[in-house]
Amino acid sequence: QDILKQAFMDQAQGIRRHVIAAGHSGASDALRLPDPQRWFTLSSQGIDAMKALEDVLSRSVLRQAHAQEAAANKALMISALSAVASFVLAGLLLFMVRRGSRVADRGLDLGGAVFHNSVESIVITDANSVIIEVNRAFSTTTGFSREEALGNHVRMLKSGRHEVNFYEAMWESIKVQNSWEGEIWNRRKNGDLY
């Protein structure tokens, strides 16, 4: 727009209109061409103005390219730092999981040692009261080996000295309070009650 507002553009357009008008009138012999020096000067000014416009556009495009390159470099750096942070956090998480696993394994080992070496009989059942594990004290007290007890229902120890409502109350307490405390008569492998 600035180029079109320049005085030389009005003069160049005037010459152009003059040449076009003369060409349409058919009077080519009456056509008076502009002074070549004047036409050359106006043309040079137009070319210089277009060159200046090209320079302005080139600088603008270059600035935008540099700005986009800087933004891309910044985004790349942020992505790289994020990736490094993710790897560090993943490493810490893996370390903590392994450490927790070792602590849990030690706890299980200790719990297992307490279970197997307890002087009290311990029986572990599933939700259907099927025996899934016993300790040594259980075998000593009942006379049933571990292999004989596993997979059997705890009824194998039933003494016959308690009514149905006793067992119902015991299992209700276990369901509601997750525990039961009391004394129960059971039968050993040899049939003796204890």
Side-chain angles (χ1 to χ4, degrees), residues 83-158:
V84 168
S86 295
F87 281 119
V88 168
L89 290 175
L92 285 173
L93 181 61
L94 185 60
F95 171 77
M96 295 303 288
V97 166
R98 286 184 179 165
R99 183 174 166 212
S101 178
R102 284 193 303 267
V103 168
D105 288 345
R106 269 188 260 135
L108 287 174
D109 291 344
L110 182 59
V114 169
F115 173 79
H116 289 293
N117 295 308
S118 176
V119 294
E120 299 292 329
S121 294
I122 301 174
V123 178
I124 300 174
T125 69
D126 63 13
N128 297 317
S129 301
V130 174
I131 299 172
I132 58 174
E133 191 60 79
V134 297
N135 67 351
R136 280 183 235 148
F138 170 87
S139 295
T140 302
T141 302
T142 66
F144 290 102
S145 70
R146 179 177 178 272
E147 292 73 24
E148 291 172 318
L150 296 185
N152 285 306
H153 197 278
V154 290
R155 279 190 296 258
M156 69 184 270
L157 303 173
K158 189 174 180 181

Side-chain angles (χ1 to χ4, degrees), residues 16-28 30-31:
R16 183 173 176 271
R17 282 191 299 272
H18 178 69
V19 170
I20 291 171
H24 286 298
S25 68
S28 57
L31 178 63

